[in-house]
Every structure is written in structure tokens, then in C-alpha cells.
Amino acid sequence: MTDKVLTRITVNGVLHERWVEPRQHLVDYLRDELGLKGTRSGCEHGVCGACTVRIDGDIVRGCLTLAVQADGARVETIEGVSDSGEIADLQHAFLESNALQCGFCTPGMLLTADALLKSEPAASREQIREHMSGNYCRCTGYHAIVDAVESTRETRRLAGCGGDRHE
Amino acid sequence: MNDLVAPPVVAEAAAPPHIGRRVVRPNARRLTEGRGTYVDDVELPRMAHVVYLRSPHAHARVVSVDVTAAHAMPGVIAIVDGARLAQVCAPFVGTLSHMVGMRSAPQYAIAIDRACWQGEAVLAIVADTRALAEDAVETIVVEWEPLPAVADMETALAPQTPVIHAELGSNLCYHRELDTGGVDAAFAGADVVVEETYVFGRHTGVTMEPRSVLADFNPAERRLTVHHSHQAPHMMADLYARQLGLPEADVRVICRDVGGSFGIKVHAYADDFATVALAVLLKRPVKFVADRLESFVTDIHAREHRVKARLALTREGRMLAFDIDDLTGIGPYSMFPRTSVVEGNQVVNITGGPYNHPEYRAKLDVVFQNKVQTSQYRGVGHPVACAVTEGIVDLAAVRMGIDPLELRRRNVMEDDSYPRKGASGIVLEKLSHQQCLAKLETMIDYPALRQEQAELRKKGIYRGIGIAVLIELTNPGAAFYGVGGARIAAQEGATVRLDPTGVVHCAVGVGEQGQGTETIFAQIAADEVGLPLAAVRIITGDTAVTPYGGGTWASRGAGIGGEAVLQASRQLRTNILALAAAHLKRDAGELDVADGKVRDRATQATLVDFAELGRIAYFRPDLLPQGFQSELVVTRHYSQRTYPFVFTNGVQASYVEVDIETGFVKLLKHWAVEDCGRVINPLLLDEQIRGAIVQGIGGALFEECLYDGSGLLRNGSMADYLVPMASEMPDIEVAHVETPTRTSELGAKGAGEAGTAGAPAAVMNAINDALAPFDVRVTAQPFTPEKILRALNKI
Ligand code: FES
Ligand code: FES
């Protein structure tokens, strides 16, 4: 087996220094090393989006990224953005629209939707559907997810904060 | 605070009832914050991980296994084969006695000597981590002797086809015939006869959270605790106890958050027994979480039916008789304990279900093959029966030049004709086909849609409208499983308790897999006890603390579980009133409950709140009259015994555009009118229906487990197996007709599966309507661009 590598990753604002196996994926690092179970593993081959996290502000698939690739980077997970309140409006909209059932896909959906609303503050319903297509949901039928993202787009537009990155 | 009667305060308006309102799920917030707990999130001291070595062949004998290198790998705890596990866990057979004549062979937790499908486990490798176990698997050398595989169900019964289980004598699992007697005469006398064959590809549930089980055996007290991603915890506790020879009282099954189930997680898998048996054998917790690749070859599949259908009508378009012949392939073993014949059986029971035809004949053959086992998945037979029925009704409409909506109007059972029987013998309490059709027609503005379609057609744009009327069986009694000898509870229980702070806790046997079950139970308890929703807590998913129940299946959670909650809550309200009367020295008849407070019925003045009553009952019973004992815990049970099932009905419409150059189908819009009786929470209900519709659409357009001729799955990964994505799905509009069932006071029927039942038929009919100008039809699901182009003779 390959030797472990020392990695320094700032996860949700906390610096973690760990020896990790070079083959370990970021999603497993977060879940197994740090106990951050909110990031889910749905397919382990980059298709479903359940493992979505942010590295240095951009969303990535935690199952396609190795932990060592995040060395020196800032990683944010659903736990971090929930604690900071950064996507509270989107989370609220998901509840109000019942845009989740089992909730397994939801952390990934939320981070993906938030990334869209930040890059495309005026995204149309079709654009939302298009953008969310890399995130699978087996429960909802997507309609309510699209509703929730649309309604957050509106609240953010009214609040004049669309496009803001809370950094 | 003193112990005297609180002075009356100003009368308050009663809070609006919670039942019927769009109540947001209180338990969903933690899921939006990533704070749910699915099985894989649970970690226990000394927990080991198991990986199963699975057969790469559809049918093969294990000649030899060399594990020498694996034993020397780091972190490896044990390598266990089927023979060793069989000493701990007894084999099981998936048959039900009321499916007369059905057979299956004993199945082991881990296969012994022979694998009967690609994916069947033959060896368990237990290690400190999943990764280490996988490393060890890589080093194991298995010598296989491939055996001839039965892949094609059409030839499974042919004399030259090898028999999978020699002791059964053939590959036939079950055969059933149903005949009202006058079918041949009806066809002979008919003005119009239409005939068509429908094919349904295999597909599977693809729950986002894979099947997961964490078995924790404590050898000191011989108690087993299983954390399970499952729909039926009590059933699993019973089965673990039986198969492993433990007292059921010492087996506890805990289902916390379940990441999607859809029937995939209502079965007892060989992997489940193996994992639990390993925990017993190794005296430590063992976790198994299927990875996505093994999900595709071990989660149950569903469908794979071929149905030949005929329909006889008069020249006025009156239906006289349906005649069907269904063949379905179920894998090498009937699934335990619910069997693999229920889907075919439902096709027989339900085909033609919405209509008035007097004669009906059905033939069913269920055959074994060397593929993944099939069994109950959302809709169970309904999507097949509905597509056959509605497909052939549409074919008749086309042949006769009658508008498809009109042909249905002429033949659906009249809303005032209930209770009654259907031609297959099913008993129907009360349905509302006529109201639903009328509502749908307005909802979709049918004439305008037809006009748009006609105009676009002139421009070479091919759109189609598809309609599907459906019935769905829900709220089952013991007819499904209990009468066949399976220990699957048909009743449900609820325990409600008022605690000293005035909060009501309600424990129910039916659990939550995201549908909102806990929320609707809280709504019912809030209304029936009489307190705010925020003062209700629901407990589900733990056999140690909830009343014994059947769990989630056959759309029974709301109707059966909800009624138990209603009955228990009503009694608790009565008991609270009795306590208040004793405390206030009033007659209980003069008192009323609302919003967590006891009021004077006449003046509506608040007299005392639940917290104060709780305080007195628990801490100061000395203040209550001698001879009065408060009872603030109530359990009530409910089982639906009036009918075998309570049927629901609905109608769906699909609007599609078919690109005749590429064969691509664009879903423009989908509508559903659904009658599931009393609506408890429209917000949750509508999303249930939408989710179910999308799963139905998945089977109709994208999803198929593609096998080659030797029984090997060719597309067993999420990249290759297509599921519906957000961009491909239409907006889905949902409306309701409410015909409450009289079998319960709640009046709710099931709603979770009807979407899946009707969607494939609606989409198929829409595609064929779009293709009508070319006089071609497609009838083999999924309707891929390739199949459409072939039908159009373009490839
Ligand atoms: S788990 Fe990473 S995309 Fe599915
Ligand atoms: S809510 Fe279950 S997968 Fe999306």
C-alpha cells in the first residue's frame, strides 16, 4: 500500500492536518476522518451529485476528488454552510416547497443550486432544470426543487444580494 | 404557581385544524442541514465492515477458492463462506401458501457451491474498513465452472432449456388462470376486436442511499440490534429471530433516516441475513453498505413482463371483454418473504380495472431465470396492468375513430355504481372515475390542446396527448401476506402519551422514508388530541419502542397507521378531559379541548392548559380526588377488515413532442387527478404523486436493466443506467377529488404509488398519439429513441 501523505485542509474554517492515503476520496475523508456525515455518497463515480462540496468556493464532486488534491485548500460542506447561515434562505425554500423527501440528495442539491444562483442570479426555470441535471433525486420528481430554487432566486433578487459570495 | 384552579381567561379562537393543510415537515429541517442519520453514518465501537465476493457469472459452480493471500492482508478479520454461515442462519424459501402451487428453492445467506445470478454473494470478507476488505477481495482466487444460464424468459419453460433447480422439475414458479366463463362468446359476438402485445423492460429502484445494514450482536446478553435502511422493521426483527434462532424479544431493528425505499427496501435480502449472521459469528458489529455497482446486481429488479392482450367491443364502443396472457421472469429464487409472484398476480387482478366490461380472462406464468431477483417495487404490477389496459383502449379508440377520452367516458364504472365488483373479482368500495375524467378535461383544456396539436401537425411538429385511467389497491388487510402465512403485520398501532410539560409523544409502527409520514401523524394527533403541531413529537422506526406494525408498503402508511393515530389520540383527549374534570371538579361534558388547553364548552374560556394538567397528574396526584387515576398513555390499533384492499383511482395525462428525425421524446407537461380519499397534507401529497410519476416516466422512457444472452447485466452503473434528470422532466400539475373511505374514521386511502401506476401508460399513449399520422405504434418499454426510429422505419 502507498504511504500516507500529510495534508492540511481547512474544512468549514477549521484547519485539519492529517496523514491520508493518497487513494482516499474527499467524500470519504470528510465522512470517515472528520465525521462530517452530511456529504453523501450515492454512486462513487461522479454521476449523482450527492457528494457535492465546495473547494475554494467552487462546487466539486467529493467522489471524484482525492483528499490530497484539497491539500492547502478551503473546503466547505453542508455542515459549514448550515452553521454560517449562508444558504438559510435556500434551505427554508426547500422546506416550504417540500423540495426534499428522504433528504439524501439534498445537501448536494442545495450547494449546486446555491452555486447556480450565485453565477446566474436571474436563472430561468429551464436554466435551473438544466443546471440541476447533474444532481439526481429519486424521490421528488424535481418539480418542487425547481420551485424552491426559483423562489430563492426571487427572494435574493428582492433583497438585492444575488451574486454575492459570502467569503 | 399555586395548585388552585387557574382563573378563567378570555375566550380564544380555536386553531384551524391541521388535517387538510399544507403543513411543512418539521423533521425535514435537519435533512436540509445534512444532519440526518442514515445507516452508513452510524459508527459503533469495534465495528467491522463486510464486502461480499460476488459471482461474475449468471450461473456457475464454485470449483475452488483460494483465500491464503487474503488472510494475510492488513485489517482482515474473517473470511466466511456460505456453508459456515448456514450453521448460524437457516435457509429461506420465498413462497406464500395462498398463491396456490407456487414453488421456489431454498436460498442461503451466502450461496453454497453454486451461484445462480451475476451478483450473488459466495464469500464474505470482513475487515477493519471497507477499503481494506476490498483490497483483500482482490487477492482471492476463485475457480468458476460456468453453467448454462437461463436468460430469456420466453424460452425458460422450453424442454431444451436447462432447469435451474433440479428438485423443482421445471423453471415454473407459479401459474394462474382467471376466467369469467363467457370470454370466447364475447369475442365471437364482438363488432370490434383489437389485439396487441406489450413488453416491459426490467428496471430497478436506484434509491439514492444504497441498501445498508449494521448488525450489532452482544454475545453477553445474546441481543441483536440492527440498524437498517428498511421499510418494515418489525418484519425484519421477526425474520432475523427466526433465521438465526434468537428469541424475537431479543432482536431490535432501528430504522432512522432512510434514503429512499420505493419497495427496494421492503424485502429481506440474502446480504441482510449474511451481515447479521456475521455479527453473531464474530461477536462484534458488522456493517454492510452496498456500493452502487453491487446495488444494480443485488437490489431487486421489477417488471420484465410480456403481456399479450385482446379487447372486444361493440360498434358503439362498449367494452365486452379483456383477455390477457402475462409472462414474467423473476430470477432464480422467489424473493423472501413477500415472493416474486405478487407483481404478476396484480397484473391479473387489475387489468381492465376501471371499466364496465362483463367478461375477463387472464393467464399468468411466472418463470425462473438466472438474473437478479425481481419483486415488489413501487406500483407492483399496476404500471404493467395500467399500460396494457390503457394501451389497448387507445388502440381501440384509434381503430374505431372515437376520441380516446370519450371512449373512456363511455366505459368507466359509473360513480354511483359502488360498492361493486370488477370483472376480475376485485371488490371496489367507491371510486370516482367520472368526476376525475371531468376534472382532467377542464384542467388540461382538452379541446384547446387537441387544436394546438392539430395545428402544429400541419407544420410537421408531432405532439401527442396520452390519457391513462387507473385504479390502485391501498390500505390492505391481511389479504396480501398474512393469509399466505407470512408474518407481516396487517394492523398498525399507535401509542400516544401526554408528558408533564404538555407535549404529546406518539409512537407508530409505520415509519418515515421521506414521504412525510411523521408529519401527517403529527397533524392527526394535533387535531384529535387538540394541541398545536409544535407540541407533538413522533417516534417511528424502532421495534423496541413502537407498537408492532407492518411498516411501509402497499400505500398503507397514511390510511392504516393514520387511523391508529386518530383512534389513540381521540382516547387520549377523552382521558385528558377526565383528568381536567377531576382537577376542576366539573363534569367532563362541560369541557372542551383546543390548542393544548381545556376550555369551558359554554363560554369557551380557557380553564387549564395541558402542562398544568401534566404537572398535576405526574407530580401532585395527591391533589386529585381519591379513586381517580389519570391515564395519559393510550394505545390503539387498527386493521382494515371490510375489504381485502381499499381501491383508489385517478387519471393522468401526458403531453409530449416526438422528434421524428431523432426519435427523442420531449415531455411537455404532465397532469394527474387523484382520488386518495381524505387529503391530510396537500403539500406532501402532491410531491409524493409527482415523485411517483417521475419514477413511472423513468420506466417508460429511460430505465432498463439490459442483459445479454448469457444473463450478464450490461449497464449496471449509474453512468450507464439512465434515471430521469431535472432537465428532462416536465412540470407536473396535480388535482384532487376526495372520496373518503368509510372503512376508517380518518377516511384516507393510499397515495404513494398511483403516480407510478399511471405515468407509463399516459406517456406511451401520448407517444403513440404523436406517431398516429405515420400509422405506427410503440409498445415495448422503455421507449428509447432507437425503438421509435425503428417503428418509423428510419433505422
Ligand atoms: S457520489 Fe459523487 S457523484 Fe455520486
Ligand atoms: S429527496 Fe430522496 S433522493 Fe432526493
Side-chain angles (χ1 to χ4, degrees):
Chain A
M1 223 179 308
T2 333
D3 288 342
K4 291 192 174 183
V5 177
L6 184 65
T7 57
R8 294 163 54 87
I9 308 177
T10 302
V11 181
N12 300 327
V14 179
L15 176 66
H16 295 273
E17 202 174 82
R18 304 260 166 153
W19 291 93
V20 304
E21 280 188 46
R23 67 174 177 176
Q24 185 172 48
H25 286 103
L26 184 58
V27 59
D28 297 326
Y29 168 83
L30 293 169
R31 291 180 55 83
D32 300 343
E33 302 289 329
L34 306 188
L36 292 166
K37 306 289 191 183
T39 305
R40 315 276 174 210
S41 200
C43 69
E44 297 173 275
H45 48 258
V47 184
C48 74
C51 61
T52 304
V53 294
R54 283 191 204 148
I55 296 185
D56 289 336
D58 295 325
I59 52 168
V60 299
R61 311 237 138 171
C63 72
L64 293 183
T65 312
L66 297 171
V68 293
Q69 290 176 289
D71 186 27
R74 252 178 328 105
V75 172
E76 288 156 295
T77 69
I78 188 67
E79 289 90 347
V81 297
S82 297
D83 288 350
S84 71
E86 185 190 335
I87 61 162
D89 54 351
L90 193 56
Q91 288 165 321
H92 181 74
F94 265 57
L95 291 174
E96 290 291 319
S97 304
N98 197 44
L100 67 152
Q101 289 184 26
C102 79
F104 200 82
C105 70
T106 311
M109 285 283 177
L110 287 163
L111 289 171
T112 305
D114 183 64
L116 170 70
L117 291 177
K118 280 172 178 158
S119 63
E120 293 282 343
S124 67
R125 199 167 171 89
E126 290 64 43
Q127 283 175 306
I128 295 170
R129 280 197 179 272
E130 200 58 49
H131 180 84
M132 301 301 291
S133 282
N135 289 67
Y136 288 0
C137 175
R138 274 304 257 183
C139 301
T140 63
Y142 300 111
H143 184 118
I145 293 175
V146 181
D147 286 351
V149 179
E150 261 193 322
S151 84
T152 308
R153 177 195 68 203
E154 287 312 291
T155 44
R156 287 191 185 180
R157 196 173 56 79
L158 291 173
C161 72
D164 250 18
R165 251 194 219 289
H166 302 243
E167 290 183 331
Chain B
M1 203 186 284
N2 65 45
D3 294 315
L4 298 173
V5 176
V9 294
V10 197
E12 291 167 34
H18 299 90
I19 296 176
R21 272 176 41 209
R22 296 170 63 85
V23 173
V24 167
R25 288 167 58 203
N27 64 350
R29 180 172 299 276
R30 64 188 156 79
L31 302 178
T32 67
E33 298 187 359
R35 300 184 213 275
T37 306
Y38 305 87
V39 170
D40 196 23
D41 303 340
V42 180
E43 290 177 7
L44 298 175
R46 291 189 79 230
M47 183 173 85
H49 297 258
V50 60
V51 165
Y52 294 105
L53 191 154
R54 300 183 183 282
S55 169
H57 303 284
H59 197 189
R61 192 168 308 286
V62 180
V63 180
S64 66
V65 180
D66 184 352
V67 294
T68 331
H71 270 301
M73 293 288 286
V76 171
I77 295 164
I79 299 174
V80 182
D81 66 9
R84 178 70 185 94
L85 267 200
Q87 294 167 359
V88 185
C89 178
F92 38 93
V93 184
T95 54
L96 287 166
S97 63
H98 65 307
M99 303 291 178
V100 180
M102 87 160 290
R103 304 114 32 97
S104 190
Q107 190 182 354
Y108 289 82
I110 289 185
I112 301 174
D113 298 338
R114 180 176 70 130
C116 287
W117 82 85
Q118 173 207 18
E120 186 170 18
V122 296
L123 207 59
I125 296 83
V126 185
D128 283 339
T129 68
R130 167 115 197 171
L132 291 173
E134 283 175 3
D135 290 343
V137 171
E138 296 296 308
T139 69
I140 294 174
V141 184
V142 182
E143 190 188 332
W144 301 94
E145 177 199 337
L147 302 169
V150 183
D152 184 0
M153 65 177 182
E154 293 282 356
T155 54
L157 300 178
Q160 66 276 17
T161 303
V163 172
I164 298 173
H165 303 293
E167 69 271 31
L168 299 181
S170 83
N171 290 323
L172 182 68
C173 170
Y174 180 59
H175 174 83
R176 180 184 169 197
E177 285 181 27
L178 188 158
D179 197 336
T180 53
V183 173
D184 288 330
F187 274 90
D191 300 315
V192 179
V193 171
V194 284
E195 190 169 342
E196 200 161 54
T197 297
Y198 300 87
V199 175
F200 300 83
R202 265 181 177 243
H203 51 258
T204 182
V206 196
T207 57
M208 286 297 294
E209 178 212 22
R211 287 187 299 108
S212 321
V213 54
L214 165 55
D216 180 14
F217 183 66
N218 184 328
E221 46 185 21
R222 288 194 65 75
R223 287 177 79 104
L224 174 70
T225 304
V226 184
H227 298 263
H228 217 328
S229 182
H230 209 274
Q231 300 168 233
H234 283 99
M235 178 191 92
M236 291 311 297
D238 175 82
L239 295 177
Y240 289 141
R242 274 162 199 284
Q243 301 309 118
L244 282 98
L246 299 166
E248 193 187 339
D250 296 329
V251 179
R252 176 182 185 187
V253 174
I254 298 171
C255 304
R256 297 180 73 181
D257 290 312
V258 174
S261 50
F262 323 122
I264 298 301
K265 296 176 183 170
V266 78
H267 308 287
Y269 289 85
D271 295 345
D272 298 335
F273 291 116
T275 306
V276 168
L278 286 166
V280 172
L281 206 60
L282 302 175
K283 303 183 174 62
R284 60 192 294 173
V286 178
K287 182 188 270 185
F288 169 68
V289 178
D291 74 18
R292 186 56 62 186
L293 300 180
E294 59 188 342
S295 295
F296 278 105
V297 290
T298 56
D299 286 6
I300 58 114
H301 294 175
R303 322 306 182 223
E304 187 160 14
H305 288 253
R306 183 277 293 136
V307 184
K308 296 178 184 162
R310 295 196 303 151
L311 170 62
L313 305 96
T314 66
R315 66 173 59 83
E316 295 77 31
R318 199 160 52 77
M319 296 176 194
L320 298 172
F322 279 80
D323 183 7
I324 64 159
D325 177 342
D326 181 12
L327 171 69
T328 178
I330 59 157
Y333 300 98
S334 169
M335 196 71 191
F336 184 63
R338 288 163 193 265
T339 83
S340 303
V341 304
V342 172
E343 176 148 287
N345 204 49
Q346 310 259 72
V347 173
V348 171
N349 289 340
I350 281 160
T351 300
Y355 300 111
N356 262 322
H357 57 284
E359 302 291 347
Y360 179 50
R361 180 164 58 205
K363 176 171 163 286
L364 168 69
D365 283 301
V366 179
V367 300
F368 295 115
Q369 41 172 199
N370 295 109
K371 293 184 183 176
V372 172
Q373 293 166 284
T374 72
S375 196
Q376 285 79 309
Y377 163 58
R378 200 173 199 171
V380 196
H382 290 72
V384 175
C386 182
V388 169
T389 307
E390 294 302 277
I392 203 150
V393 166
D394 254 31
L395 178 62
V398 171
R399 287 283 159 77
M400 301 176 75
I402 301 176
D403 178 86
L405 195 61
E406 172 58 22
L407 185 60
R408 289 176 170 85
R409 253 194 308 256
R410 284 182 203 173
N411 287 282
V412 289
M413 295 178 178
E414 298 79 6
D415 290 0
D416 60 5
S417 65
Y418 303 93
R420 62 174 290 171
K421 279 192 169 185
S424 72
I426 51 173
V427 188
L428 305 162
E429 182 199 21
K430 182 136 176 60
L431 303 179
S432 58
H433 291 305
Q434 292 173 315
Q435 279 182 78
C436 287
L437 278 172
K439 193 157 198 165
L440 181 87
E441 191 172 0
T442 331
M443 190 178 175
I444 69 178
D445 196 352
Y446 190 59
L449 212 56
R450 281 286 176 214
Q451 199 180 339
E452 180 179 275
Q453 177 192 31
E455 273 157 24
L456 288 171
R457 207 171 264 182
K458 286 182 216 145
K459 298 183 194 156
I461 295 171
Y462 297 94
R463 292 192 171 180
I465 305 164
I467 292 162
V469 179
L470 65 99
I471 60 168
E472 192 214 339
L473 66 82
T474 76
N475 293 9
F480 245 124
Y481 301 113
V483 300
R487 295 169 63 88
I488 299 171
Q491 59 81 56
E492 213 52 56
T495 297
V496 289
R497 109 178 168 245
L498 183 75
D499 80 4
T501 61
V503 168
V504 164
H505 297 257
C506 176
V508 197
V510 185
E512 169 89 84
Q513 296 86 30
Q515 309 89 325
T517 316
E518 294 189 352
T519 304
I520 63 166
F521 291 163
Q523 291 175 260
I524 295 166
D527 279 3
E528 295 296 336
V529 178
L531 78 173
L533 195 73
V536 180
R537 302 285 181 276
I538 304 292
I539 304 154
T540 67
D542 185 345
T543 58
V545 299
T546 63
Y548 203 98
T552 307
W553 44 274
S555 297
R556 67 189 290 282
I560 309 282
E563 179 68 5
V565 173
L566 177 145
Q567 295 297 343
S569 301
R570 273 193 190 169
Q571 187 59 48
L572 180 60
R573 176 200 206 89
T574 303
N575 294 6
I576 290 170
L577 279 171
L579 168 62
H583 166 59
L584 299 168
K585 305 192 174 49
R586 298 276 302 264
D587 190 294
E590 298 165 13
L591 307 176
D592 197 4
V593 172
D595 214 19
K597 300 178 183 91
V598 174
R599 305 184 304 188
D600 186 308
R601 193 180 277 280
T603 66
Q604 297 290 295
T606 296
L607 303 173
V608 59
D609 67 14
F610 283 11
E612 176 63 2
L613 286 172
R615 189 186 69 84
I616 292 164
Y618 288 102
F619 309 123
R620 297 302 308 275
D622 58 303
L623 299 173
L624 294 168
Q626 278 295 333
F628 176 84
Q629 175 58 52
S630 59
E631 291 296 349
L632 299 180
V633 182
V634 176
T635 299
R636 286 291 179 274
H637 292 87
Y638 172 70
S639 56
Q640 190 284 109
R641 285 177 293 174
T642 320
Y643 302 98
F645 314 99
V646 177
F647 277 88
T648 67
N649 67 285
V651 56
Q652 292 182 24
S654 162
Y655 191 39
V656 308
E657 187 172 307
V658 179
D659 184 331
I660 56 154
E661 300 306 323
T662 64
F664 273 97
V665 175
K666 181 158 178 55
L667 302 166
L668 301 169
K669 185 93 193 219
H670 202 101
W671 299 265
V673 181
E674 166 75 1
D675 185 349
C676 56
R678 188 167 182 200
V679 173
I680 300 170
N681 186 330
L683 176 69
L684 308 187
L685 173 58
D686 289 1
E687 203 50 28
Q688 265 297 298
I689 291 171
R690 292 195 182 106
I693 286 171
V694 165
Q695 264 175 345
I697 291 173
L701 290 184
F702 312 107
E703 296 181 41
E704 184 170 19
C705 303
L706 293 163
Y707 277 86
D708 68 14
S710 54
L712 298 181
L713 185 65
R714 286 159 40 208
N715 62 337
S717 83
M718 229 187 226
D720 299 313
Y721 179 97
L722 306 177
V723 300
M725 301 189 294
S727 58
E728 304 159 329
M729 289 301 106
D731 279 347
I732 301 168
E733 231 178 274
V734 182
H736 304 278
V737 168
E738 288 191 55
T739 309
T741 173
R742 298 221 181 130
T743 54
S744 70
E745 292 190 63
L746 182 63
K749 309 177 200 175
E753 300 176 271
T756 309
V763 170
M764 173 176 74
N765 286 347
I767 294 171
N768 285 328
D769 187 41
L771 295 176
F774 306 95
D775 208 21
V776 298
R777 289 170 60 82
V778 286
T779 56
Q781 296 183 26
F783 305 113
T784 57
E786 184 190 333
K787 285 182 190 161
I788 290 169
L789 290 179
R790 269 188 209 292
L792 285 165
N793 249 320
K794 302 224 171 183
I795 51 172

